[in-house]
């Protein structure tokens, strides 16, 4: 019985976690359907130290995950360099196209908050010594 209770608790907790969309078109559709802003993250998941720290300390935190699942549509435009982390060509091309449009200077990490119509509302990046709560407040300032 205990086992079943734990499984249910962790299953429900997992549903509250923000889901990163697999492609940007899915993110746009979801943002439009659910009337949510898109948080587009440009990252180098296997080479960019600030990107890795931002993911580990903010995006992977339970607090951010729970909040984001209810309030944002998340998309990671990742640019890994290691061969074993190579993305499928279609996704890499999509990320390059997004970078040309929203990150022409090539900043990493860059977090772009946009509305469902792809209007950029604000940008930020890695902020040292911040909490998930403060980072959420930063993102939400762009929405007002």
């Amino acid at each position: 019985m205990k086992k079943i209770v734990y499984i249910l608790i962790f299953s429900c907790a997992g549903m509250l976690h923000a889901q990163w969309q697999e492609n940007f078109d899915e993110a746009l559709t979801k943002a439009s359907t659910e009337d949510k802003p898109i948080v587009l993250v440009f990252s180098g998941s296997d080479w960019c130290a600030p990107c890795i720290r931002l993911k580990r300390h903010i995006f992977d935190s339970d607090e951010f995950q729970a909040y984001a699942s209810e309030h944002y549509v998340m998309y990671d435009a990742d640019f890994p360099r290691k061969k074993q982390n190579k993305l499928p060509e279609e996704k890499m091309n999509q990320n390059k196209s997004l970078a040309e449009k929203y990150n022409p200077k090539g900043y990493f990490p860059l977090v772009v908050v946009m509305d469902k119509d792809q209007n950029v509302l604000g940008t930020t990046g890695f902020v040292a010594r911040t909490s998930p709560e403060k980072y959420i407040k930063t993102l939400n300032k762009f929405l007002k």
Side-chain angles (χ1 to χ4, degrees), residues 31-138:
S32 221
T33 304
E34 298 179 11
D35 195 28
K36 292 180 182 177
I38 298 169
V39 177
L40 169 61
V41 180
F42 289 95
S43 66
S45 63
D46 63 4
W47 59 270
C48 170
C51 300
I52 295 165
R53 292 195 343 236
L54 179 62
K55 182 180 181 319
R56 185 179 304 138
H57 296 293
I58 303 298
F59 298 142
D60 287 349
S61 71
D62 290 338
E63 184 177 356
F64 186 89
Q65 290 278 320
Y67 187 87
S69 70
E70 295 294 319
H71 296 91
Y72 308 135
V73 174
M74 305 291 295
Y75 182 77
D76 183 19
D78 191 17
F79 291 86
R81 291 184 179 166
K82 294 179 181 173
K83 196 180 259 186
Q84 70 264 28
N85 298 330
K86 186 177 178 183
L87 299 175
E89 189 172 342
E90 183 179 330
K91 186 162 184 164
M92 195 65 200
N93 289 337
Q94 185 174 51
N95 290 353
K96 285 179 184 177
S97 177
L98 290 168
E100 288 171 8
K101 186 172 183 178
Y102 298 108
N103 190 7
K105 294 185 180 182
Y107 294 129
F108 288 90
L110 179 68
V111 178
V112 180
V113 179
M114 62 179 70
D115 65 18
K116 63 185 177 186
D117 299 316
Q118 299 182 62
N119 298 308
V120 175
L121 305 174
T123 62
T124 189
F126 174 73
V127 181
R129 296 185 185 103
T130 194
S131 67
E133 180 183 282
K134 288 180 184 175
Y135 206 85
I136 290 167
K137 285 181 182 178
T138 298

